[in-house]
Structures are given as structure tokens and as C-alpha cells.
Amino acid sequence: MPRSRINGNFIDKTFSIVANILLRIIPTTSGEKEAFTYYRDGMSAQSEGNYAEALQNYYEAMRLEIDPYDRSYILYNIGLIHTSNGEHTKALEYYFRALERNPFLPQAFNNMAVICHYCAYSDRGEQAIRQGDSEIAEAWFDQAAEYWKQAIALTPGNYIEAQNWLKITRRFE
């Protein structure tokens, strides 16, 4: 049974109903419809924390989806799952792939910045500082700043905490 038929969440049910109506009235190919169904089921599984099921659905959606813009959101969601699982290198890879297809995803830039900022404070950054190599942590911070600048440029009213951090650390230009 498709996930959309078993989900008990009101918002998910509403989304599924609207999505099904749109799929019927918007002229799309059967492959596009099937790709969207997998994407929708992946989002539903992801919202419930069923990451393995979500990834299966997203990979199937990627196999079927040909539109670069739509593919960017699938890749972005795969990146979110890897971020949630602490797989930062994989997450960055999927965010990069999403941005290759759609350079106007401020949330991907933000998530990449958060990962870099985290790495500067994580064991990697702290270990480098203990070993007398504070440049590694600074490089992570500088990279985070670059990604946040890109996210802020796309959506100037968002990411206020990042803007404050950029100002406090004198990285805002």
C-alpha cells in the first residue's frame, strides 16, 4: 500500500490529497507523476524519521525525475537525511549536487554553513587547536561565512543569527 494511503497525520493527508489533485490536472508524463509520488512518499517517511525508507523513495525519484529543478530538491532532502545522521561529508556532497542544478537554494547554503561551523567546533577543530593548528578551525569558520553570505544574498531577511555571527566575527563584508 502506498505510504500516502497509510499516513495518519492530518497535514500529510492534506498534502497528499492536494498533490494527487494536482497530479491529475497538470499535464505531466507518467514518469514525472511516478517520480513525484516517490518524492512525496520520501518526504512523508522523512518527516516520520524513517530515513532508510525516505532514501529509498528519493533514490527512486532521482531515477525517474529528469527536471534539474525538481532533482535539486530531491538531492537537498537526501542531504538533510545525511546531516541528521551525522554523515556530514555525504550531506555536503548532496547539497553541492543540489546547488549545481539549482543555485537558488539558500537553505542548502545555510546547511553547508552550519556543517562547516560545527566542524570548526567539533573534535576535528578542537583537536587541531590543541595541536597548535588553529588555522584549520579558522578555515572551517571562513568557509561557513562564505556559505552564509551566499544564503543571505539570496534571502536577505533570513538567517539573522548567521548575520549576527558574521558581524561579531568581522566576516561580514
Side-chain angles (χ1 to χ4, degrees):
M1 175 182 298
R3 168 167 280 286
S4 57
R5 300 244 194 269
I6 60 172
N7 196 328
N9 181 318
F10 173 75
I11 293 171
D12 285 343
K13 278 187 176 180
T14 304
F15 174 76
S16 293
I17 291 168
V18 171
N20 286 334
I21 291 169
L22 288 174
L23 279 176
R24 277 190 237 126
I25 62 173
I26 294 176
T28 57
T29 67
S30 62
E32 289 169 321
K33 288 178 183 181
E34 189 177 4
F36 181 77
T37 299
Y38 280 109
Y39 177 69
R40 182 192 60 213
D41 289 351
M43 286 178 36
S44 180
Q46 184 176 353
S47 72
E48 294 173 3
N50 296 328
Y51 296 144
E53 181 182 343
L55 285 173
Q56 286 177 331
N57 281 295
Y58 289 145
Y59 292 141
E60 193 60 30
M62 282 296 295
R63 189 180 68 74
L64 297 165
E65 184 57 64
I66 58 172
D67 181 71
Y69 184 82
D70 292 340
R71 289 174 67 89
S72 73
Y73 282 95
I74 298 167
L75 291 164
Y76 171 76
N77 280 319
I78 293 170
L80 283 177
I81 291 172
H82 289 301
T83 300
S84 295
N85 289 336
E87 299 167 322
H88 297 126
T89 302
K90 275 187 174 181
L92 287 171
E93 176 189 332
Y94 280 96
Y95 294 140
F96 278 120
R97 290 174 63 190
L99 288 165
E100 286 173 353
R101 287 152 182 84
N102 179 4
F104 302 103
L105 277 174
Q107 60 272 41
F109 285 116
N110 178 65
N111 291 357
M112 291 165 62
V114 169
I115 289 171
C116 291
H117 194 264
Y118 168 80
C119 287
Y121 278 119
S122 72
D123 291 339
R124 289 186 234 176
E126 287 181 15
Q127 182 180 5
I129 291 169
R130 280 194 304 273
Q131 293 172 349
D133 192 358
S134 62
E135 291 178 12
I136 291 176
E138 282 302 311
W140 281 111
F141 284 134
D142 289 343
Q143 190 60 62
E146 291 307 310
Y147 291 140
W148 268 322
K149 287 177 193 175
Q150 290 177 284
I152 292 164
L154 290 170
T155 55
N158 291 347
Y159 310 114
I160 302 302
E161 289 179 24
Q163 290 181 39
N164 290 336
W165 179 82
L166 289 167
K167 289 176 187 172
I168 290 167
T169 61
R170 296 190 174 106
R171 286 180 167 89
F172 212 140
E173 297 171 0

